[in-house]
Every structure is written in C-alpha cells, then in structure tokens.
Amino acid sequence: MNFYQAQDQARGRTRLLALLFLLLNLGLILLVNLLFAWYLWVSDDPVTAADRVFFDYLSWQRLLIVGCGVFLLLLFAAWLKWLDVSRGGGAVAEALGGERVVYATPDHLQRRLLNVVEEMALAAGMPVPPVYVMRREKGINAFAAGLGLSDAAICVTRGALEGLDRDQLQGVIAHEFSHILNGDMRLNMRLMVVLHGMVFFAELGREFINSRTSWWVDATKSRSSSRGYLILLGLGLIAIGWCGVLLGNIIKAAISRQREFLADASAVQFTRNPGGIAGALKVIGGSTFQGTVQHPGSHEASHLFFSAVAARQLFTSHPPLVKRILRIDPKWDGEYLEPLPAPAPPVFEDRVEQRRAKSSAAVIDSLIGTLAGAELMSDSAWQVTQSDTAVKAETLVATHSLIKLARDPYDARVLLLGLLLGPEAQLRQQQMLLISRAEQALAEQLKRFQKEIDALPRAQHLTLIEIALPALKAQSGAQYKLFKRLLMRVIQADNKIDLFEWVLYQLVSRYCDAHFGIGRSSEAGAGKIRGSKLKYRKLAPLAEPYAVVLSALAHHGCGDAESRQKAFNIGANSTGLYTLKLLSEAQCGRKAFSTAVSELALATPFIKQRLLKGLVRAVCHDDVVNPLEKELVTAVAAVMESPLLGLDGD
C-alpha cells in the first residue's frame, strides 16, 4: 500500500472538505436570515406591519449582519474544538472516556494490547503511540486520534479486549495504524472540528430556549404572542442546527467510507493475515453490542471508529459489515462469529508461576521480534535474518531489563541519558556531574544500569529509543521540560553535537514536544516544522538540501570513495535528480545536514516519498545497513513526519 499516495489523496479531500464547509455555511446563513426575517415579521406591531409582506424584512444590510454573525459563531465553535484536538490524540481519547494503559498493569488483556500495539509500531518504523482503553464500553470498537505521527494515540473498547482473540485484535490495530500512516487520522480530526460548529449551533438554540423557559410561562399567562414567537425562534435555530448535523453526517459518509475500505486493505497487507481483520468484523456482527459506543461524544466522533458506533444510524460513516467482510474474504459463508467468553478474573497469587511457565524459547522469540525483527521496509537489507537473530539471542535476553527500563516513565530517562554518555572518562564524569546536579536519584539509577547500557549493541539503540518515547509522555509537563533541558546539557557537555546525539534529540522532540504543547525548538538544529506550510511540490527546488542529506549518508555508510559515489548515484537517480554531485564530508556536517532535513520536511507527501525512497535505496545498495545509517534515515523520516512503511509502492 502506498501510504504517501494515500496522504496526497487525503490532502485533496481536505480541500473538498473546506469547500463543503463553505457551502454548508452559506446554506446556514441563508436559513438563519429567513428565520430572523420570519421572527421580525410575526412579532412586528400589526398596525405598522399591515402594509408589509415577509420579503420586506429581508435586506442586504440585515443579510450581511446576520451572515457575519453566523459565520463568526461557527468559526468560534470550530476554534474551541480545535483547542481540544490540538492537544493530541491522548486528549481526544480521554475526552471520549479512554483511560491510559501502562505497562505495569496487572490486566493480562491490557498487556496483550500493549504488546500488539508495540509490534505494529515497530513494524511501521514509528515510536509506540500511547494506548487507551474505554473500560465502560461493551461494544467492540477502536479508533486512532491525533494530528500526526508525533501525537497519535490508539484507543480500544473493553469489549474489543475481551471479545477478540490476538489475531483479530492485531487486525483492528493494524487498521488503525493504516489510518495514522495514510493521513486519514489528521483528516478525521479536521472533519470533527469543522462539523462541531453545527452541533454547537443546535446546542446554542437549546440553551436559548432553556434560558427563556420562564418567559414561556409568562407568555402563557399574559397571552403575549411575541414571547411565544421567541421560543419558536429558538426551536427554529435547533432545527437549523440539526439540519447542519444531518448534512455533516452526509459529508462524513461521503469522505470516510472509501477510506475504511482502504484501511481494511492496508491492514491485510500490514499483518499479512486477512483472517485477523475479517474475523474481527465477523465477531462484531455476531456480538450483542456490535460496535456500539455509549459515550455521548461518540456520535460526533463516529467517523474515527473502526466500526459504526450505533446499530442504526442514518448516513453512517462506515460501509456495511457485510461489504467490508466480502472485500477481504470473498468466500465468506455469511455466518458471523461469537465473541470470546468473558475471561476469568486473574489469579494474582499465581502470577509468578505463570511467568515461570513460559518457555525460555518463547521469551527469546518475543525479544527478537521486538528488538531485531521489526520490518521497516520491503528492502531486504532492513530485515534481520533468522540466523542473525539466533546469534543475538543471548544478548537480547540480557537486555530484557533494559526493555523494562524503557517502558517506565521515570527509568526511560535513565536509558536515554545512558545512551548519551561519552566513552572518555573525563567527559563521562562531567556528564554524570550534570545529571547528579539536576537529580541525584536519576544519577544513582543510571550508575546501576550503566554496565548493561554500555554492553548494549549499537544496532539495538534505535529500537529501545522508540520503545522509551511513549513512556516519556507519561511524565508531567514540568518533568518533561526539566528532562529536555538536562538532555541538551548532557549532549553539549563536550561543546559539540554528533549525529547520534542529533538523532536522539530529534526523536524525543518530534514525538514528545507536541504532547506537552511545546513548540518545535531550534535547539540542535530542530527547526520549526509543525504548522509550517508545505511549499515544495516539485523536486527541483530541493536538489541542494537533498544532495547534503544524501552525501552525509554516503559518507557515513561507505568505507571507500567508489562505494560512496555508487550509493550517492543510486539515491540521486532513484529520486530523479540525475545531475546531483557528491559533496565533501565537510560540506555535509551536522549543522548543514540538520538544516537540509528541515527544508526537505516542507515538501508534499508525494515528494517526501520520492526523497525517502532515494535515501533508503542509497543505504541499501550494498545490502548492509549499519546502525548509524538506520538511525539517520529514521530521524529524517521523523523530522519529515513521514512513515518509512510503504516506500516500495509507486
């Protein structure tokens, strides 16, 4: 599945959404003007209005005033919703009743969910997003929320946890990851913001009536028709608002239905197991609750979910279950599946024995899948062979404690700081002094794990960093800001920033800053990308910065001049920039590299695809990808806010 092409399609649908929003607003402005003209007509003094007809109460001046008022009201409502949405996917999940799941949870179903999400994230080449569970929802459903890769969150219902087996749950999660990767998630967030104005308008009319309830009583007693008409005006506003909601549901259905089919197909390609997602859809059809979500905010966000949130809904944003199943399983016999029986309550006393019962081979396989078996791309050089992983099995078991360290909100900081400690004794002593001055307990914990961190193979640094990033998001905003400052002080202890330090800082900034409402800093050459307008729709203006990035990869991945030139030529030709020339190592230093990457991030998704594909083919030209090459490409993709999965598509 070409996720970049899907992102371009999503951007096209965003423009369609803006046009539909404008047309809908114009329609509402016209209806509200007609309603106010009617109110003025019926409430006017009969003597004064004797010679006037309804259309006399319509004027261009009144049309302009009411129209501007309605438009500003809708913009204000959308702005209020945007403030909520811009806080990230976690805030949206919490607003819909989701509760954050932590790795220390005693619930084995939640631990299974965390493992599945982690597997999908590593396979997609992106950090693990925060995971939430809607504990009170018995229907089988899930959704992804956020404005991009950096602030995405996954949320599932309790019904999905209990009613689906592991393969079916993996299919659902893969479906949601495809929404993240192909740009649907951001489009869905914008759609929710745009349509909130319609709901707000209806709610305003309801409040208008409620605040005039005493007037209705007074009107009945005094037989004053004008006050009764005021109530009818409020009812009219409600009717217009809910007409807007109905039209909004039609817009959601028009935009979302085909995207659901695309996400189903992507999930099959992602997991290579059509039975997983097809089985989940069959279980939803066979469940008493189906995909029902009871939370009052679920209808406004219905287009976010894996399946319809109500059994009967006019203009639902999801295709019928039967059509979705037949697209995946054309030979389906029409029989739905029963959800799994409710799990027995966990026996906490037997937890240690349950752990001991797991075979050592299973533990090794799990760690290999987590640390070394993640398939980032279709290129064979990015995949670790079975023989390689078998050799590393002993090392992977030894790093089990570091995996636990990476998943803990406090200890994740220890791991990241430990990876930054320099090899020279004097530099390391200076860095440890900086850490102890900031937080003595942090320094003591680092000393306990430093030997294991030092023994960690360089090839495993990146995966542990990606596992640690969601744990950092569990800190408070104040804790994160202090850690970020400490991170930069440790990096700059030797008055220079090497490429690995740049990679680590970029990954932390790109995937955590937005969660805490922090703007992109220029520290370490970060550059401000989020919210910047995409200004490059052609490759030619990006030739110079691309040459810098490609040259840096060639110099750091190849030992001799001939191999460097070959890697550079492959990367340039794959992109279509045939006249590029390999720069010297001095011309593509860390600062120039960072500036160039920030410039590439301003390209459209389709251009980003071509650029990243060229970089990947350059580093894979000799079928050997060293750790620094992999780290650099991953960091470049993070800065560009682009997935590494799906680069093989044209």
Side-chain angles (χ1 to χ4, degrees), residues 20 49 153 173 176 237 279 388 435 447 489 492 535 553-554 558 565 588 611:
L20 292 174
I173 298 302
E176 298 307 325
L237 290 174
D388 291 334
I435 297 171
K447 289 177 182 178
R489 286 198 294 267
Q492 295 178 331
K535 63 179 183 179
L553 284 173
C558 305
Q565 189 64 57
C588 51
L611 296 172

Short mmCIF file of all heavy atoms in Angstrom, two decimals, residues 20 49 153 173 176 237 279 388 435 447 489 492 535 553-554 558 565 588 611:
data_model
loop_
_atom_site.label_atom_id
_atom_site.label_comp_id
_atom_site.label_asym_id
_atom_site.label_seq_id
_atom_site.Cartn_x
_atom_site.Cartn_y
_atom_site.Cartn_z
N LEU A 20 -16.92 22.08 0.99
CA LEU A 20 -18.22 21.68 1.55
C LEU A 20 -18.57 22.49 2.79
O LEU A 20 -19.73 22.86 3.01
CB LEU A 20 -18.19 20.19 1.89
CG LEU A 20 -18.11 19.22 0.70
CD1 LEU A 20 -17.94 17.79 1.18
CD2 LEU A 20 -19.36 19.34 -0.17
N ALA A 49 -47.09 46.75 10.54
CA ALA A 49 -46.80 45.72 9.54
C ALA A 49 -47.97 45.43 8.61
O ALA A 49 -47.90 44.50 7.81
CB ALA A 49 -46.38 44.43 10.24
N ALA A 153 -2.53 8.50 19.09
CA ALA A 153 -2.90 7.63 20.21
C ALA A 153 -3.87 6.57 19.69
O ALA A 153 -4.65 6.83 18.76
CB ALA A 153 -3.53 8.42 21.35
N ILE A 173 -5.95 -3.26 15.23
CA ILE A 173 -4.88 -2.29 15.48
C ILE A 173 -4.17 -1.92 14.19
O ILE A 173 -3.83 -0.75 13.95
CB ILE A 173 -3.88 -2.85 16.52
CG1 ILE A 173 -4.58 -3.10 17.86
CG2 ILE A 173 -2.72 -1.89 16.70
CD1 ILE A 173 -5.23 -1.89 18.46
N GLU A 176 -6.15 0.64 12.39
CA GLU A 176 -5.98 1.98 12.95
C GLU A 176 -4.62 2.57 12.61
O GLU A 176 -4.50 3.77 12.36
CB GLU A 176 -6.19 1.94 14.48
CG GLU A 176 -7.57 1.50 14.92
CD GLU A 176 -8.68 2.30 14.25
OE1 GLU A 176 -8.49 3.51 14.02
OE2 GLU A 176 -9.74 1.71 13.94
N LEU A 237 -33.81 27.63 15.47
CA LEU A 237 -32.35 27.54 15.50
C LEU A 237 -31.90 26.10 15.72
O LEU A 237 -30.94 25.63 15.11
CB LEU A 237 -31.79 28.45 16.60
CG LEU A 237 -31.89 29.96 16.35
CD1 LEU A 237 -31.43 30.72 17.58
CD2 LEU A 237 -31.07 30.35 15.14
N GLY A 279 -11.97 -11.70 10.73
CA GLY A 279 -12.53 -12.31 11.92
C GLY A 279 -13.07 -11.27 12.89
O GLY A 279 -14.13 -11.46 13.51
N ASP A 388 20.92 -14.37 11.99
CA ASP A 388 21.47 -13.25 12.74
C ASP A 388 20.81 -13.14 14.10
O ASP A 388 21.47 -12.91 15.12
CB ASP A 388 21.25 -11.94 11.97
CG ASP A 388 22.10 -11.87 10.72
OD1 ASP A 388 23.16 -12.53 10.71
OD2 ASP A 388 21.70 -11.17 9.78
N ILE A 435 24.09 15.40 35.52
CA ILE A 435 22.89 14.64 35.85
C ILE A 435 22.64 14.64 37.35
O ILE A 435 21.50 14.83 37.80
CB ILE A 435 23.01 13.20 35.30
CG1 ILE A 435 23.10 13.21 33.78
CG2 ILE A 435 21.82 12.35 35.75
CD1 ILE A 435 23.45 11.87 33.17
N LYS A 447 23.83 4.79 37.37
CA LYS A 447 25.03 4.03 37.75
C LYS A 447 24.72 2.54 37.85
O LYS A 447 25.55 1.69 37.50
CB LYS A 447 25.59 4.55 39.07
CG LYS A 447 26.22 5.92 38.98
CD LYS A 447 26.69 6.39 40.36
CE LYS A 447 27.28 7.80 40.29
NZ LYS A 447 27.69 8.30 41.62
N ARG A 489 21.92 19.65 27.93
CA ARG A 489 23.17 19.93 28.64
C ARG A 489 24.14 18.75 28.55
O ARG A 489 25.35 18.94 28.39
CB ARG A 489 22.89 20.28 30.11
CG ARG A 489 22.30 21.65 30.32
CD ARG A 489 22.44 22.10 31.75
NE ARG A 489 21.65 21.28 32.67
CZ ARG A 489 20.41 21.58 33.04
NH1 ARG A 489 19.81 22.66 32.56
NH2 ARG A 489 19.75 20.79 33.87
N GLN A 492 25.63 18.67 25.05
CA GLN A 492 26.58 19.75 24.79
C GLN A 492 27.74 19.78 25.78
O GLN A 492 28.50 20.75 25.80
CB GLN A 492 25.86 21.09 24.81
CG GLN A 492 24.83 21.25 23.68
CD GLN A 492 24.10 22.57 23.73
OE1 GLN A 492 23.91 23.15 24.80
NE2 GLN A 492 23.66 23.05 22.59
N LYS A 535 5.66 23.95 1.04
CA LYS A 535 5.91 24.87 -0.07
C LYS A 535 6.60 24.22 -1.26
O LYS A 535 6.82 24.88 -2.27
CB LYS A 535 6.73 26.06 0.41
CG LYS A 535 8.12 25.72 0.93
CD LYS A 535 8.85 26.99 1.36
CE LYS A 535 10.26 26.71 1.82
NZ LYS A 535 10.97 27.94 2.22
N LEU A 553 24.76 10.57 4.19
CA LEU A 553 24.51 9.14 4.31
C LEU A 553 25.58 8.32 3.58
O LEU A 553 26.02 7.28 4.08
CB LEU A 553 23.13 8.80 3.76
CG LEU A 553 21.92 9.17 4.63
CD1 LEU A 553 20.62 8.93 3.88
CD2 LEU A 553 21.93 8.39 5.92
N ALA A 554 25.99 8.79 2.43
CA ALA A 554 27.02 8.07 1.67
C ALA A 554 28.34 8.05 2.44
O ALA A 554 29.02 7.01 2.50
CB ALA A 554 27.21 8.72 0.30
N CYS A 558 29.61 4.21 3.83
CA CYS A 558 30.52 3.52 2.92
C CYS A 558 31.97 3.83 3.30
O CYS A 558 32.29 4.97 3.67
CB CYS A 558 30.27 3.96 1.47
SG CYS A 558 28.56 3.73 0.94
N GLN A 565 30.38 6.97 -3.95
CA GLN A 565 29.86 7.51 -5.20
C GLN A 565 28.72 6.65 -5.73
O GLN A 565 27.71 7.17 -6.23
CB GLN A 565 30.98 7.59 -6.23
CG GLN A 565 30.59 8.35 -7.50
CD GLN A 565 30.28 9.81 -7.23
OE1 GLN A 565 31.10 10.55 -6.69
NE2 GLN A 565 29.07 10.24 -7.59
N CYS A 588 28.75 18.57 4.33
CA CYS A 588 27.50 17.97 4.84
C CYS A 588 27.65 17.61 6.31
O CYS A 588 27.28 16.51 6.74
CB CYS A 588 27.09 16.76 4.00
SG CYS A 588 28.38 15.53 3.77
N LEU A 611 11.86 11.27 -2.04
CA LEU A 611 13.11 11.60 -1.36
C LEU A 611 13.54 10.47 -0.43
O LEU A 611 14.70 10.04 -0.43
CB LEU A 611 12.95 12.90 -0.57
CG LEU A 611 12.67 14.16 -1.40
CD1 LEU A 611 12.35 15.34 -0.48
CD2 LEU A 611 13.85 14.51 -2.30
#
